[in-house]
Amino acid sequence: MAIEGGLITPVIRNAGGKGLEAISSEMKDLAGKARDGKLQPHEFQGGTFSISNLGMFGIKQFDAVINPPQGAIMAVGAGEQRPVVRNGSLAVATVMSVTLSVDHRAVDGAVGAEFLAAFKKLIEDPMTMLL
């Protein structure tokens, strides 16, 4: 996240074992500490995966650079209405671009592709994340 003086990457530990509500709450807490300059080293060191969101600035698509020593970073662009073809007919849908950069020394590219496919499925039907 952007703070005065640069960027910092707060770490949510064991995110895979937490629900969306817990992750959201922890993220808000860490973001507040980061803005106030009160993050402790254990709260921004030791991460393995980052998410970079420039969509809030209207950026449609970008490629994020991995934060060493992490293994991957996902770049999330802005959602926007675009023409799509559904069942052979033209329609309008809200679409966003997501890219994934992986350090192939730590993460196989095929595993990264599987992750993006799973993410796509979840983001297209967000209610499945609440189950």
Side-chain angles (χ1 to χ4, degrees):
M1 69 176 287
I3 59 170
E4 189 173 320
L7 295 174
I8 194 159
T9 309
V11 175
I12 297 174
R13 302 208 183 274
N14 304 310
K18 297 176 182 173
L20 285 178
E21 187 175 344
I23 291 171
S24 178
S25 176
E26 190 171 340
M27 182 179 62
K28 288 175 186 172
D29 179 55
L30 290 169
K33 285 182 175 183
R35 278 190 294 277
D36 295 340
K38 295 182 179 179
L39 275 181
Q40 298 298 309
H42 72 276
E43 294 174 312
F44 62 85
Q45 294 175 348
T48 58
F49 183 95
S50 291
I51 300 172
S52 182
N53 176 11
L54 295 182
M56 65 184 129
F57 298 111
I59 306 299
K60 294 179 188 176
Q61 190 272 330
F62 66 105
D63 298 312
V65 177
I66 299 168
N67 301 306
Q70 297 187 8
I73 186 167
M74 184 169 69
V76 180
E80 66 175 351
Q81 290 193 326
R82 297 182 195 166
V84 297
V85 177
R86 280 198 189 132
N87 300 321
S89 297
L90 194 57
V92 177
T94 300
V95 178
M96 69 180 200
S97 293
V98 175
T99 61
L100 183 70
S101 301
V102 299
D103 180 340
H104 285 255
R105 294 171 296 180
V107 180
D108 187 282
V111 173
E114 289 172 7
F115 170 82
L116 279 180
F119 177 79
K120 179 181 184 289
K121 189 174 181 178
L122 289 169
I123 205 72
E124 287 178 343
D125 187 9
M127 293 302 291
T128 60
M129 289 186 274
L130 299 175
L131 302 174

